Amino acid sequence: MCCVLVCAVCAACVLMYYAPSPGCYDCCIRCLGAVPYPSLVATLLCFTGMALFCGCGHEALANTEVLAETYFARNIQDYVVLASFIKYFQYVIYGLASFFFLYCILLLAEGFYTTSAVKQTFGEFRSTRCGRCLSLTFIIVTYVLAVIWLAVFAFTAIPVFFFFNMAQTCHTINILAETTPSINQHGWICMDARQYGLLPWNAMPGKACGMTLASICKTKEFFITYDLYIAAFAGAGIALLALFMYVVATTYNYAVLRFLGRKGLRC
């Protein structure tokens, strides 16, 4: 991390004086060579993905509760389970954001101190049994997180699928409304939230049909919620990609530690 600070100072030197000294130039070259670029890219992707998932997911859940209360359920008891789930999952989002921020920082620090670029910079590589054990722990934990996040990524697709079907159904209703003179001819086209597990089967009405459904799709809440779920889904995918990159980077770093440890390079 100190090398990053040195690089920042050297970059300022370049901007201010346009002709850095040879010592500053060599320091910058060594510093750039010691940066674990896969871990750095994975950290940026993880921060971006978690920001999208947590921020957009939090707001999308709040808007979903409003839509369910306004259009799909008349009695508060019909959506109390959904409201409780949304409330608790919003708290989970706060914890996820904090955990992944700290964990990504740890993985980035581990990348700085175990990458082979450090060996090229300092001319030697000191490996301890504790260091190799720590790298192996990061591999296992990151792999488990990637598997868990894969399930989260799949779960995030459910509301996107629901709102996509709802938008397509509204589009069908609008086409039929332009081609058929009677409103009742397409009143049987409905969107049932109970089929997706959002509401219990005894919820009333639990569904929206015909022009009522089409009018819901034209509301501001629907468009915002749909876009937020898409952004949250994309954020979950970006975070998943970052975790897979971390798995590859930490595995490579551990392999380097094991290889150098067999050669007897220990402190």
Side-chain angles (χ1 to χ4, degrees), residues 19 39 55 74 76 90 99-100 111 120 130 135 149 152 165 193 212 216 220 242 262:
S39 297
R74 298 171 182 172
I76 189 174
Q90 285 177 334
F99 170 77
F100 273 94
Q120 298 174 1
C130 180
S135 294
W149 199 255
V152 175
N165 286 344
T212 302
I216 295 175
K220 180 180 179 181
R262 289 177 180 178

Side-chain angles (χ1 to χ4, degrees), residues 163-221:
F163 278 90
F164 173 78
N165 286 344
M166 189 171 175
Q168 292 299 315
T169 305
C170 291
H171 180 67
T172 302
I173 293 175
N174 291 330
I175 293 177
L176 292 177
E178 295 176 356
T179 57
T180 57
S182 177
I183 298 179
N184 295 327
Q185 290 185 5
H186 51 267
W188 55 272
I189 303 178
C190 302
M191 196 68 189
D192 197 337
R194 297 170 296 185
Q195 294 180 348
Y196 295 85
L198 301 178
L199 295 174
W201 283 106
N202 58 352
M204 294 299 295
K207 61 182 179 179
C209 303
M211 297 306 298
T212 302
L213 177 60
S215 62
I216 295 175
C217 294
K218 296 179 181 179
T219 59
K220 180 180 179 181
E221 292 81 4

